[in-house]
Amino acid sequence: MTAQTDGFDRNSSPQHKKPGAEHAQAALPDLYRHVRARSVELIDGLSDADATVQSMPDASPAKWHLAHTSWFFEIMVLHRFVADYAPFDPRFDYLFNSYYDSVGERHPRPARGLLSRPTLDEVLTYRGHVDAAMAQLLRGAIPPQALALIELGCHHEQQHQELLLTDILHLFAANPLRPAYRAAAAPLPASDAAPLRFASIDGGMVEIGADGTGFSFDAEGPRHTTFIEPFDLATRLVTNREWQDFIEDGGYEDPRLWLSDGWAMARAQNWRAPLYWEQREGQMLVMTLEGMQLLQPDAPVSHVSYYEADAFASWSGMRLPSEFEWELAAGTVKLDQMFGAVWQWTRSAFAPYPRFRASSEAVGEYNGKFMSGQYVLRGSSLATPEGHSRPSYRNFFPPHARWQFTGLRLTRDGQGPI
Amino acid sequence: MTAQTDGFDRNSSPQHKKPGAEHAQAALPDLYRHVRARSVELIDGLSDADATVQSMPDASPAKWHLAHTSWFFEIMVLHRFVADYAPFDPRFDYLFNSYYDSVGERHPRPARGLLSRPTLDEVLTYRGHVDAAMAQLLRGAIPPQALALIELGCHHEQQHQELLLTDILHLFAANPLRPAYRAAAAPLPASDAAPLRFASIDGGMVEIGADGTGFSFDAEGPRHTTFIEPFDLATRLVTNREWQDFIEDGGYEDPRLWLSDGWAMARAQNWRAPLYWEQREGQMLVMTLEGMQLLQPDAPVSHVSYYEADAFASWSGMRLPSEFEWELAAGTVKLDQMFGAVWQWTRSAFAPYPRFRASSEAVGEYNGKFMSGQYVLRGSSLATPEGHSRPSYRNFFPPHARWQFTGLRLTRDGQGPI
Amino acid sequence: MTAQTDGFDRNSSPQHKKPGAEHAQAALPDLYRHVRARSVELIDGLSDADATVQSMPDASPAKWHLAHTSWFFEIMVLHRFVADYAPFDPRFDYLFNSYYDSVGERHPRPARGLLSRPTLDEVLTYRGHVDAAMAQLLRGAIPPQALALIELGCHHEQQHQELLLTDILHLFAANPLRPAYRAAAAPLPASDAAPLRFASIDGGMVEIGADGTGFSFDAEGPRHTTFIEPFDLATRLVTNREWQDFIEDGGYEDPRLWLSDGWAMARAQNWRAPLYWEQREGQMLVMTLEGMQLLQPDAPVSHVSYYEADAFASWSGMRLPSEFEWELAAGTVKLDQMFGAVWQWTRSAFAPYPRFRASSEAVGEYNGKFMSGQYVLRGSSLATPEGHSRPSYRNFFPPHARWQFTGLRLTRDGQGPI
Amino acid sequence: MTAQTDGFDRNSSPQHKKPGAEHAQAALPDLYRHVRARSVELIDGLSDADATVQSMPDASPAKWHLAHTSWFFEIMVLHRFVADYAPFDPRFDYLFNSYYDSVGERHPRPARGLLSRPTLDEVLTYRGHVDAAMAQLLRGAIPPQALALIELGCHHEQQHQELLLTDILHLFAANPLRPAYRAAAAPLPASDAAPLRFASIDGGMVEIGADGTGFSFDAEGPRHTTFIEPFDLATRLVTNREWQDFIEDGGYEDPRLWLSDGWAMARAQNWRAPLYWEQREGQMLVMTLEGMQLLQPDAPVSHVSYYEADAFASWSGMRLPSEFEWELAAGTVKLDQMFGAVWQWTRSAFAPYPRFRASSEAVGEYNGKFMSGQYVLRGSSLATPEGHSRPSYRNFFPPHARWQFTGLRLTRDGQGPI
């Protein structure tokens, strides 16, 4: 097995270089095929059992990700735009609905891991059935509404590709055997970290949100104006070494550093380090997609919750950036590790932009209904598919979530221009 | 008993008319005495048992409110600024600490209702002990730092006065006998509601936050600039009649109207109407501080959670205001029911203002550590003490909270100036 | 206050000396008056608040005990045998039903502590109302069925008298102030314990169960024959000193000594000693009705669960007696501390005797429906009212219960006659 | 596939006809091979995923059953009696320990379903490794202690064979697709049920417990004398038709029929019928190992809890037998369906027989520590391996358990001899 097929190589899609052109029907079949093939590549090496088990209610089985992303095309596109579409199995409407209340009942989320049937092979056959129908649709003239939904389905599937990896990691980390997903999946950069420095950024009236030149999710718009005060943003992410300093300085024992909810959670769950860190015989190891590895002090810290990120920032005498500060920096100055290492917690609650309106159709449930109890993360991670992120991208998770590839970038109130 | 002493009359403190002068030492003794006396008036008519029981972990016994507000002065002021202060009972340091991690261990919140001892009489004696020491302190020259803490303690106690009332209501509503707190406590206005109209408000660059001319909590500042788009704000609150329309139209049964967390909560708790509404023999009754009453269709709806308020706004085709929109309107146009009826949910998560820094002292735990998982409410309610609110005031509760006097004011995106 | 009225003196009812005569109508009014007065004596010194709070779902407020025992007479006797009986408050039918499904709905058990109303004074007035009606009934000719129910009601109330004390102790133990119920309530005997010796008891065919010469509960019969093998029974109870040996020998850390459910419970609850033991500054204290006291090494151990008692017996290389062995010994040999110290766990699950049939009336719910998940305790405790126990008496609690006055007596398989 | 290999044919072990000879070393290798082969036959047709998922904490994955039964031989036999035994994987000591505290830490029971690794193939290889070492051991002279442990291990594995089937049924019943385990697994007898009749059985002094002529578990002894009153025992099991009568008569709605804990459980879980019954379009179906089937009215009712069985018996005006009554009948009169249909709940709590002592070795944890909170079931079920039951056999489960093949046989107090 070569590194190319072993890792889930984030640079493997040269055909997907021009996101601005995706809306054109010409590019869509390629995008569709590329994304669909990528999902199947990701489960290479996983057994039917690996792909079936659910390690916690927040995670989903790999098989479920494969099926649900097909369900999305079946329900949102094929049922509506292909007159004589014959569903693969009508019971899948129920089995693989994630959270769309408007399209009917669904299998309960915490019970996704009970589905030893359909088998992984049957799910792959289901994917083939959907792909065949989609291929036929894509060969003809497609209504603009369908085009938009197909494009959305591709980006939706990319989101699930990242979740598939984080969920597999969580499953394997719960197994005392600590199996590796792959020998060379996608290690975090571990070369010497640069000294911690800050870029000073002028605020002012700035434009925020997707600019309409390529695909974006509904929650990335409408583009609008906001006012930002001057701030300084770290030129790189917080490292494992810095997190070890926080631990050694009693960061997990000092309630004054923590948000009240965070302190309660940290005590209830007995948090003492990022998820997946494991002290063994005097060494600090960390569970990764490559199995148990020595902790790399210069790599960005990962698998920390918002609560921990906020406590770390308080301990540092600084704070987390707002999502607008992050987006402004991403668009105007060149900082390291903005994309491709770990998602970066912002202090911004996930909320609608001014004049945001969710669609009245089923896809209106995509983002809008999650706009409470979640914080925005910006950037992307080592597990994010190539081409899936951008400066306006708004990822979101609840503040206690730790199983994603999540870290932080320090910020402080500014004095003036860079 | 006259109406004056029966109700918790919010207009009974003429000496407290000029908030801007409160910082002066001259006014502080009067404020202290007024606030302290008010707390004791509030428990007139409550038995020791009424004042002892805790109806849920989120609520506290009346006795605990009385003791904790004294504890605040003891810990924050007397121990620090009176050299030879003899504490009433050193065990109260532990018993009546609310959430201040930096001052030591505390009795667990859900166990506050187990404290049948000290008795209500002993707690009143404790208050007398603290008041005597405070009176002596207030007669001399007071360091500025102490002045600020005493003023804070008075406003802190006013917050607990409102909580005492909401918590007693919750307790009495849980009793099948549905006892009344008082015969004429503080009914919501129930005259004919005006037709629903909207004031159109220009946005632009606006100044937000306390202006420093009177007392304010730390979270109300720093005053800063933000940019607001034009919006329309309802000239009055949503009424019970309108909420009944929402119910009859299936508002509690349609998941598309709800935030995902809200829908899960509404299903788990079987919400079908605001808290305290009760259908009996074809009539809709509501539990109030005056006992069970016929629902007044024209009164503002109360005891709805953020989730319900948001669903109602969606059903109306509108939205909740941001806290900045509300504050702008409060400072610039004259709308009805901004204060004194019910707290008004905003769509703003409770978050720090730019350049906000919590104090490094114990009072730094006052607001900052609650800046996750909460939404801002603006205005004030019928239970808010006179002089306790202002346009910059930021109340906050988690989105599922229903036992406060909480309602809503509709908002919609604007087209231009008023 | 003298010791006689201060403690809940178990020897204060000389008029109740001849249990065999209780069925006679002549004795019943005296029994009724004595029992009813005793309940009220027990709350002397308790405040309304003390009598209102519920410390856990398994415990009930003192006020509730006072009301429920009156409810029993109202529902079971007055409503049925007094044609024109006017209930004190019809809502009490609901409020003070304990678990009688056949007489209607009831207030949920875990919410008994929310009832700050009716007040303690109102409950005492309720008792007076019931007592007046009962006095009138008792003056006339009473149908035999009513006689039996009144007698049952008296013994029922005596059971609640003991529960009232165990529940108050649990409440006060949960209060960091550890208040004393009374200065001299009912200390456990603490004179030097005799050496551990055993009486050898012949088994054989023996008669078990109430012999019909006095009052007994339904579950004490029918009297029947069973076969018992020879066994040896300890002549006294296990002491605190012996329990300390068990602790020091690692009894709470060795899973091999424990029943599986017991070990799980001990780990989940972090049991390290009997309930109410508290190490303070090198001394072992114990919470009692007299407040915190030094542990008396020679006193019988109390407040241990069945699981702990069984583990202790295993550690001792012995076992707990069956309830039949205990009853046989109580009727044939003279051993110490059979009554009046602590209830003694037996290895017998609470089950119906051969040919047992619960009554088809409401009182049929008295015992029969609890015949699963409980173990039988024999004897009586320091808190058991005088005259309330006997050799055939079957108390029962779930195996994890610790808040009763519960201890143990060791047993071993026998070799032959005494 | 023929019926012989398709079903888990309970009559397929002719070599196992003489249980009395099992202790002889000569018969043991045959028994070992037969039992071990049977386990592997049982998973024929199951996928790795089917064998990995855990449907509830009480159930275990099929793969886990296969591995744990091998672990038993490895830990109890090979490590102790084969000097140079090389364990297959030392980590399995931890992974596949069920509940033996004395042999070390173990993987938590509710997390057994997270083990997608080792794979099913690896577990089968593990079995082969153990079988090879056992084969070598069995070829030589075996110490008597080892002989007894090997025989125990065989019967232990037979218990897990039945659990494997009940756990697979539970898993498949939780899958909306309701897959069948096999086309012809082991249907319950469904010919016309005989009229309900009773055999009258004399009681008297009877011998209870294993007689030592063949293998038995420790809890089946010591054999001892007990006294039994005359009773009548139904000549057949309660049928589905009779259970439907119970349902239609409101059996699940009448609290007076139920034990208190049973009623609470039935309400909390919303029990309305036996587990696996499902009303669909006017027909009553039932989930079985053969998939969804029409309910057979004449087949014995199965998958009822002790609570339901007890309520049914109360509704019938009868009761459940004691385990001694059942054993006496099994040894003296010829009744139908004593073995091979469903396990029969008795009213006997699982408790030690007189003079019972658990072994001080690891196998001492086999039964003794479960002697609380469980009821005895007698007989055997359609899923019990051939030769695995006998009149003295004591199966046990908690009173709420429903996923085993459990039913009941009615009993009533007797008048005299048959």
Side-chain angles (χ1 to χ4, degrees), chain D residues 202-273:
Chain D
D202 279 351
M205 295 290 283
V206 300
E207 292 294 297
I208 292 293
D211 62 7
T213 61
F215 172 82
S216 62
F217 288 109
D218 59 353
E220 295 175 54
R223 190 162 170 87
H224 65 285
T225 301
T226 197
F227 179 75
I228 299 179
E229 303 208 10
F231 65 100
D232 300 342
L233 193 61
T235 55
R236 62 158 171 79
L237 300 173
V238 168
T239 64
N240 286 327
R241 189 193 310 280
E242 289 160 345
W243 202 271
Q244 283 180 307
D245 292 343
F246 171 68
I247 294 173
E248 282 160 22
D249 197 42
Y252 280 97
E253 276 81 46
D254 186 351
R256 292 169 305 176
L257 300 172
W258 292 72
L259 288 162
S260 181
D261 288 352
W263 182 246
M265 180 67 75
R267 293 280 68 71
Q269 306 282 333
N270 197 26
W271 290 350
R272 301 288 173 194

Side-chain angles (χ1 to χ4, degrees), chain D residues 21-35:
Chain D
E22 284 165 20
H23 279 96
Q25 182 167 353
L28 200 53
D30 275 355
L31 175 62
Y32 180 87
R33 278 191 299 273
H34 170 71
V35 168

Side-chain angles (χ1 to χ4, degrees), chain B residues 67-83:
Chain B
H68 165 68
T69 48
S70 302
W71 172 95
F72 189 95
F73 286 110
E74 206 175 37
I75 294 289
M76 301 289 176
V77 178
L78 294 172
H79 275 303
R80 296 171 62 191
F81 299 101
V82 177

Side-chain angles (χ1 to χ4, degrees), chain A residues 202-252:
Chain A
D202 279 352
M205 295 290 283
V206 300
E207 291 295 295
I208 292 293
D211 62 6
T213 60
F215 173 81
S216 61
F217 288 110
D218 59 353
E220 297 174 51
R223 190 163 171 88
H224 65 286
T225 301
T226 197
F227 178 75
I228 298 179
E229 304 208 10
F231 65 100
D232 300 342
L233 193 62
T235 55
R236 62 158 173 78
L237 299 174
V238 169
T239 64
N240 286 326
R241 190 193 310 279
E242 287 159 347
W243 201 273
Q244 283 180 305
D245 292 342
F246 171 68
I247 294 174
E248 283 160 22
D249 197 42
Y252 279 97

